[in-house]
Amino acid sequence: KRLITAKTDETGVFRFESVPAGKTTLSVQGLKDGADFFALASVIHRQELELAGGESRRLDLSLEVAAVRGRVTGPGPLPSGLGTTVMLRSPDGGGAGQFTAPNLLTGSFEFAHVPRGRFDLLVRKSGAAPFTTSIDVDPSHGDVSVNVELSPSITVKGRIAVPAPTSTSD
């Protein structure tokens, strides 16, 4: 499978040259302003296409996206973003998840381009209990803000004794 990439100009215009005929998938990824072209980016649109040899096709897309941003705090005295991972994924587990690392000092995070839908926001940090919440993204209502306060993790230790089997004789 061959990967062909193109970056839009400031007006959203893109062009792919030398695309092979056959079935292909167009994936549109959203990069935060100033992000490196190869940075991990949100897939905000995916479309299956079947292309015939010699064909020239025009695709105009109008995408609805919003930002999901927030701040992670706690637990303990260390900066909130240190060792923290934030993930956004579809609740059904379908599609690729989006990962980000919060700002090390402030704990702030942002997913710049998130399509309309329901998502699970998961936050993981060593020494903290895992955090999960569901959010609804509706671009017509604007960006989504989620602040997360992590709780310390709790360790439960113990020992389980299982009685030895007893034999029964008739």
Side-chain angles (χ1 to χ4, degrees):
K1 205 170 191 186
R2 199 169 89 162
L3 179 67
I4 303 171
T5 59
K7 197 170 185 179
T8 64
D9 67 13
E10 60 278 348
T11 64
V13 174
F14 66 94
R15 182 181 185 95
F16 289 106
E17 297 286 344
S18 303
V19 178
K23 290 184 179 183
T24 191
T25 303
L26 171 71
S27 293
V28 178
Q29 293 181 285
L31 292 172
K32 192 173 175 182
D33 289 339
D36 180 77
F37 187 57
F38 296 103
L40 185 62
S42 307
V43 174
I44 56 178
H45 177 79
R46 185 165 287 154
Q47 183 175 345
E48 302 297 321
L49 302 172
E50 184 147 359
L51 305 171
E55 177 182 5
S56 178
R57 186 176 298 184
R58 179 179 178 92
L59 288 174
D60 292 325
L61 304 171
S62 179
L63 305 177
E64 291 186 307
V65 295
V68 173
R69 60 175 63 94
R71 185 167 180 243
V72 178
T73 57
L78 293 176
S80 299
L82 194 60
T84 303
T85 302
V86 182
M87 179 180 172
L88 197 60
R89 70 170 187 204
S90 298
D92 61 7
Q98 303 173 35
F99 293 89
T100 191
N103 178 290
L104 292 177
L105 297 177
T106 66
S108 61
F109 64 89
E110 179 179 21
F111 297 94
H113 305 281
V114 180
R116 176 184 304 275
R118 185 168 193 80
F119 297 89
D120 287 336
L121 180 78
L122 298 91
V123 180
R124 302 293 183 263
K125 179 180 180 180
S126 180
F131 177 88
T132 304
T133 190
S134 291
I135 59 170
D136 290 309
V137 176
D138 182 348
S140 66
H141 293 129
D143 295 341
V144 178
S145 181
V146 182
N147 291 315
V148 176
E149 184 171 347
L150 297 175
S151 303
S153 62
I154 299 170
T155 302
V156 177
K157 292 182 180 182
R159 184 172 170 205
I160 298 175
V162 177
T166 56
S167 63
T168 57
S169 45
D170 292 319

